[in-house]
């Protein structure tokens, strides 16, 4: 069964605005990791941010932050001050060692 | 140095042929994966190896056979290629640790396989 759900196939955001990409997950394992990857049109997979199941604080990496709500099993990615170069596919992933599965992805388009 | 390298980057072949994709990582990781990305961009896990041992084998046709000669290599051999095998195949690796799964997977550049 699908364990990672991204309900937004496509999102649009105006340049310089913030955008939230949704991700929910399902697991009974208390130890897991949540990740976000970016895949630009060139095709490579770029790691953005990580959140551990035991982490008390939300992860942040530059303009990226992860809104982790453990009880709701959600791990939304927030991109602040969007840039044209942020246009890409974004994948949420969950890792339960040694398994790592991905959501269906969200295509983000940043408008000038 | 490339952390996870896949060869070839592009592969065009005829139906019925047998082909291999090679993957090597120089990160000292102990877990390696193969993923298939279809035309809709969905990333599906195919196989996962930990210390050369097969851990995950999803519902993949047995025409696909992974081989891990050592921890740094995980190759994918595909027999009797079909049109539906056309996709991008990604190799990835990560470092397993006990406790929280706080290590991301590093991906290779992908191999675009086209079966004609």
């Amino acid at each position: 069964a699908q364990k990672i759900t991204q309900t937004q196939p496509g999102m649009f955001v105006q340049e310089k605005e913030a955008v939230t990409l949704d991700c929910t997950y399902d697991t009974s394992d208390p130890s897991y990791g949540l990740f976000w990857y970016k895949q630009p049109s060139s095709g490579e997979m770029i790691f953005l941010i990580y959140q551990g199941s035991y982490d008390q604080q939300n992860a942040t990496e530059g303009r990226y932050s992860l809104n982790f709500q453990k009880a709701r099993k959600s791990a939304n990615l927030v991109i602040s001050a969007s840039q044209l170069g942020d246009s890409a596919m974004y994948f949420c992933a969950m890792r339960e060692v040694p398994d790592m599965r991905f959501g269906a992805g969200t295509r983000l388009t940043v408008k000038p | 140095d490339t952390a996870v390298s896949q060869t070839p980057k592009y592969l065009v072949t005829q139906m019925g042929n047998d082909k291999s994709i090679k993957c090597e990582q120089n990160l000292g990781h102990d877990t390696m994966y193969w993923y298939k990305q279809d035309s809709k961009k969905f990333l599906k896990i195919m196989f996962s190896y930990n210390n050369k041992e097969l851990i995950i084998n999803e519902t993949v046709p047995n025409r696909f056979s992974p081989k891990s000669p050592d921890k740094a290599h995980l190759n994918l051999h595909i027999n009797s290629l079909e049109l539906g095998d056309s996709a991008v195949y990604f190799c990835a690796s990560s470092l397993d640790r006990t406790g929280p799964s706080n290590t991301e997977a590093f991906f290779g550049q992908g191999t675009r396989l086209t079966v004609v």
Side-chain angles (χ1 to χ4, degrees), chain A residues 31-86:
Chain A
S31 176
Y32 54 90
L34 297 158
F35 304 83
W36 278 90
Y37 284 82
K38 173 184 178 182
Q39 187 178 42
S41 57
S42 51
E44 72 267 32
M45 295 290 288
I46 302 168
F47 165 71
L48 295 178
I49 195 167
Y50 158 81
Q51 180 83 44
S53 57
Y54 298 116
D55 293 344
Q56 298 295 315
Q57 298 204 349
N58 287 342
T60 59
E61 289 286 348
R63 295 186 299 111
Y64 304 108
S65 60
L66 201 154
N67 184 359
F68 181 44
Q69 298 188 46
K70 196 169 182 177
R72 292 186 175 186
K73 293 186 177 178
S74 74
N76 299 338
L77 176 71
V78 180
I79 306 175
S80 63
S82 297
Q83 301 172 357
L84 296 178
D86 294 334

Side-chain angles (χ1 to χ4, degrees), chain B residues 14-77:
Chain B
Q14 290 188 326
M15 281 175 55
N17 283 350
D18 303 339
K19 290 293 179 185
S20 292
I21 306 172
K22 295 186 176 181
C23 179
E24 176 182 5
Q25 54 95 3
N26 61 7
L27 299 166
H29 289 169
D30 45 15
T31 301
M32 296 186 73
Y33 310 82
W34 277 110
Y35 290 90
K36 178 181 180 180
Q37 186 172 43
D38 61 24
S39 58
K40 294 184 179 179
K41 300 296 185 181
F42 185 66
L43 271 162
K44 182 182 182 332
I45 190 167
M46 301 173 69
F47 303 103
S48 167
Y49 269 74
N50 179 260
N51 286 315
K52 301 194 302 175
E53 182 184 347
L54 180 63
I55 302 296
I56 293 171
N57 184 350
E58 286 294 288
T59 50
V60 176
N62 57 15
R63 298 182 295 103
F64 290 79
S65 54
K67 287 188 171 50
S68 181
D70 54 56
K71 269 177 49 172
H73 296 84
L74 180 61
N75 304 322
L76 184 65
H77 188 76

Side-chain angles (χ1 to χ4, degrees), chain B residues 4 9 12 24 46 51-52 65 69 76-78 83 87 93 99 108 110 114 116:
Chain B
V4 182
K9 188 172 181 180
V12 181
E24 176 182 5
M46 301 173 69
N51 286 315
K52 301 194 302 175
S65 54
L76 184 65
H77 188 76
I78 315 169
L83 293 176
S93 73
T114 303
V116 298

